[in-house]
Amino acid sequence: MRLRALLDTDALGLKLLGGEDELDRTVRGVMTTDLRDPSRYLSGGELVLTGLAWRRDAADSEPFVRILVQEGVTALAAGEAELGDVPDDLVEACARHRLPLFAVHESVAFATITEHVVRQVSGERAGDLAAVVDRHRRMMTSGPAGGGPDVVLDLLGSDLDLRAWVLSPTGRLVAGPKTSGPALTAEACGRLAAEHLTATRTGRRAPHRVLLGGTTYSLFPVRATGRAPQTARDARESVLSDWLLAVEADAGDWAEERLDLLYGVTQLIAVERDHRDAARTVRRRLAQEVLELVQTGAAPTEIAARLRVAAPVLLPGLGAAPHWQVVVARIDWDGAETEEGPVAQALLEEILVDPLSAGPEPSDRIAVAHTGDEAVALVPLPAVSTEHDGSETGVLADALLESVRDPLTAGLDDDGRLTLGVSAAVHSAEGLRGALEEARHARRVAAARPGRVCAAGHQELASHVLLLPFVPDDVRRAFTARLLDPLRDYDRRHRAELIPTLEAFLDCDGSWTRCAGRLHLHVNTLRYRVGRIEQLTSRDLSRLEDKLDFFLALRMS
């Protein structure tokens, strides 16, 4: 299609700022970027969409435009949402290099322009895959029953005999074909994701070809079209958030037209991802509001009110308010000076998804905010139960990274680190601040370990770490409350005097006879009380470690 056709389409909201004599140029594709140097992702003939996040000052426009021209870009369209108006320095740079420049009104999403271009370009090309793209476009725009990414994969299989899968950067299966044939195993998904991340980090041009188990796969990046992340300065950051399309075929001998059309398929899948990301807005906002209230020391009643709003959104149909866990994540790049919170936010949303779940929307019950360089997840638990060995169920630090460690290590390469910390479950707004500090401290424990991807949980803060003077007061309070609050609540309801019994039992070094004599109780009564203490706290007072924990909690309370 030609640039003139874009300008004549009122629904796209494009305003020509320069290059009137170049409107007969042909558009072969579309790409959204906010990288300072997007050359590795350009093949020529694209309409480039940008939110201008790459521009720090006027001097940045000239090198950015020069790169686009060198790579054969057809035109540039700049969004007005970030700066209001397209800056004059960018207009002048495009005029010097004869690069047509459009302004995109802030009310128009980049996804709208992308879908229009892909639809027009695909419709004008002859070839078998053009029909697939057009059919999928109609199904996508027909409403929720369109089927999402699975639809285009089924069409690839039925029309072209191509089996393909959409994978997350962690190797989770987002969508797959329903046609006959062997399923892609979880191990294979992880291997393909790792190969894709490695190839991207080393600067190899897509598609990346991988031989796995005697089968050749071609890997295509699926880059979200409507996003303009403010911190995405280079491939180190975008690589951790992009989906990928894995096609069971060797694309090395494909014609250029076939490759172009398959990239059109990835752009349509990217539109589906934009829809999913838009659905996360409410959950992100709820998490951000709760995080700000907790960090500013708001009253527990105010925090509790926000949690009551969040609960039905994250766990619809739940009768009672859930328990909550806090997970903190941070990404650190060598030499990076930008805030990595938004990148960690997108990655943590994916990590917290059950690795065995498939589909684009299994993360509806995860609310992740970001502040500075870290992401903070508020994870609702319908109930907190205790296994037979006394361990709490919920999010566990080790299990969290078990299935994603290898792909993410490949994406982080040799200059990045991901560290996570997981709090214990809390059942009230009063405990949320302590849980946040507990998760942050657990993340610092993880950061002290070797490896590119590390995590630590609250269990690792339970004993010896509390002896260290640098542990924040909130962590101490959280630890004390977790051990003693169940006993205090029970004493208030039943007048059972479990706290005095515990103090006396520890003072007597665990001697049943001496403790019973001091409290003027029968030994059997003492044994009943101690058994109740152990049942309520999931601790064992015959173990030295648990005795020490109770001793510290009582001294700090």
Side-chain angles (χ1 to χ4, degrees):
M1 67 178 301
R2 299 186 184 278
L3 289 176
R4 192 178 307 278
L6 288 175
L7 198 61
D8 292 340
T9 306
D10 294 337
L12 299 183
L14 295 177
K15 180 174 64 175
L16 184 65
L17 300 181
E20 185 174 1
D21 296 336
E22 308 291 335
L23 292 181
D24 287 326
R25 289 189 180 188
T26 300
V27 179
R28 298 174 57 245
V30 62
M31 176 191 176
T32 299
T33 186
D34 273 296
L35 303 177
R36 298 172 68 83
D37 180 3
S39 57
R40 70 177 67 183
Y41 305 115
L42 297 170
S43 57
E46 294 95 347
L47 169 67
V48 171
L49 307 175
T50 180
L52 300 176
W54 50 267
R55 182 185 178 277
R56 297 174 182 171
D57 54 47
D60 291 334
S61 293
E62 173 66 24
F64 181 77
V65 172
R66 188 186 310 119
I67 289 171
L68 299 188
V69 172
Q70 290 172 351
E71 296 299 326
V73 166
T74 297
L76 175 66
E80 296 179 332
E82 178 69 18
L83 301 178
D85 294 320
V86 177
D88 292 339
D89 49 270
L90 181 59
V91 176
E92 294 167 2
C94 288
R96 280 194 297 272
H97 292 277
R98 300 180 63 82
L99 181 67
L101 175 64
F102 299 92
V104 182
H105 193 271
E106 61 180 2
S107 64
V108 179
F110 283 176
T112 301
I113 300 174
T114 298
E115 186 172 0
H116 178 83
V117 172
V118 171
R119 182 170 68 247
Q120 296 299 320
V121 170
S122 299
E124 291 172 4
R125 289 175 179 166
D128 48 8
L129 198 54
V132 176
V133 173
D134 186 60
R135 283 171 59 188
H136 179 245
R137 188 267 307 169
R138 291 197 300 270
M139 291 184 181
M140 286 174 58
T141 56
S142 64
D150 299 271
V151 174
V152 72
L153 301 185
D154 290 340
L155 291 173
L156 286 173
S158 61
D159 288 19
L160 298 179
D161 197 26
L162 284 176
R163 301 181 72 233
W165 298 262
V166 178
L167 306 178
S168 77
T170 64
R172 185 178 61 83
L173 181 65
V174 176
K178 295 184 177 63
T179 55
S180 60
L184 201 61
T185 65
E187 180 182 2
C189 290
R191 287 279 304 279
L192 291 174
E195 292 287 347
H196 172 73
L197 295 178
T198 299
T200 303
R201 287 301 314 275
T202 55
R204 286 157 45 195
R205 279 186 175 271
H208 313 306
R209 288 176 289 164
V210 177
L211 182 63
L212 190 63
T215 302
T216 299
Y217 297 89
S218 297
L219 310 180
F220 296 81
V222 177
R223 299 190 178 94
T225 61
R227 293 180 302 162
Q230 300 301 306
T231 59
R233 304 295 181 185
D234 54 42
R236 294 192 307 184
E237 295 154 352
S238 62
V239 72
L240 294 176
S241 57
D242 291 341
W243 284 354
L244 67 135
L245 177 68
V247 181
E248 191 180 75
D250 188 344
D253 57 354
W254 283 5
E256 190 69 22
E257 290 181 353
R258 189 177 178 91
L259 283 173
D260 287 346
L261 286 168
L262 201 58
Y263 275 115
V265 171
T266 68
Q267 291 174 332
L268 287 173
I269 296 174
V271 172
E272 284 292 301
R273 183 174 182 181
D274 289 340
H275 295 165
R276 184 215 58 167
D277 287 346
R280 286 182 170 179
T281 303
V282 173
R283 298 191 297 277
R284 284 180 170 182
R285 186 174 66 247
L286 287 171
Q288 201 74 40
E289 291 174 355
V290 173
L291 177 61
E292 290 174 1
L293 290 173
V294 170
Q295 292 193 135
T296 55
T301 53
E302 188 175 358
I303 299 174
R306 298 309 302 160
L307 290 177
R308 283 194 294 272
V309 172
V313 174
L314 301 176
L315 288 174
L318 189 68
H323 292 74
W324 303 91
Q325 273 184 286
V326 175
V327 180
V328 172
R330 176 169 173 147
I331 296 175
D332 294 289
W333 298 102
D334 295 346
E337 298 179 356
T338 57
E339 291 186 350
E340 307 298 340
V343 181
Q345 179 185 42
L347 186 57
L348 185 55
E349 285 172 335
E350 177 60 40
I351 290 173
L352 286 170
V353 176
D354 182 350
L356 298 180
S357 64
E361 292 289 348
S363 55
D364 287 344
R365 298 178 179 181
I366 299 167
V368 184
H370 71 82
T371 173
D373 290 330
E374 69 179 12
V376 180
L378 191 63
V379 182
L381 304 174
V384 177
S385 60
T386 302
E387 302 292 350
H388 65 277
D389 61 356
S391 61
E392 244 180 28
T393 60
V395 177
L396 301 177
D398 291 338
L400 198 59
L401 295 181
E402 183 176 352
S403 62
V404 302
R405 193 182 305 273
D406 289 345
L408 292 181
T409 298
L412 293 164
D413 198 17
D414 60 353
D415 58 354
R417 291 201 73 203
L418 169 67
T419 51
L420 296 97
V422 182
S423 79
V426 296
H427 65 279
S428 65
E430 290 86 346
L432 206 55
R433 181 173 177 81
L436 174 60
E437 293 304 323
E438 189 174 56
R440 282 174 169 165
H441 190 65
R443 193 207 62 79
R444 289 192 289 270
V445 171
R449 296 171 173 168
R452 291 290 166 190
V453 181
C454 298
H458 65 92
Q459 301 92 338
E460 299 174 66
L461 309 179
S463 297
H464 57 280
V465 176
L466 289 169
L467 298 174
L468 302 177
F470 63 82
V471 178
D473 290 341
D474 286 321
V475 176
R476 297 173 184 261
R477 284 194 291 269
F479 172 74
T480 304
R482 189 162 65 250
L483 277 180
L484 300 185
D485 278 0
L487 306 183
R488 290 169 177 150
D489 292 342
Y490 192 88
D491 281 349
R492 278 196 295 268
R493 293 195 307 270
H494 303 283
R495 298 182 181 179
E497 297 188 336
L498 296 185
I499 292 290
T501 301
L502 175 61
E503 292 175 328
F505 187 74
L506 295 176
D507 286 343
C508 294
D509 298 324
S511 170
W512 297 100
T513 304
R514 283 194 290 133
C515 183
R518 176 182 294 190
L519 296 175
H520 306 289
L521 297 174
H522 191 279
V523 172
N524 288 343
T525 303
L526 176 61
R527 290 186 183 277
Y528 173 83
R529 289 187 182 181
V530 170
R532 179 63 67 183
I533 292 171
E534 292 175 335
Q535 181 183 22
L536 291 171
T537 61
S538 300
R539 297 298 184 110
D540 183 357
L541 278 167
S542 67
R543 299 178 67 248
L544 176 60
E545 293 88 347
D546 289 342
K547 287 180 182 177
L548 179 58
D549 287 348
F550 278 120
F551 175 82
L552 291 171
L554 288 168
R555 290 298 180 271
M556 291 188 296
S557 63

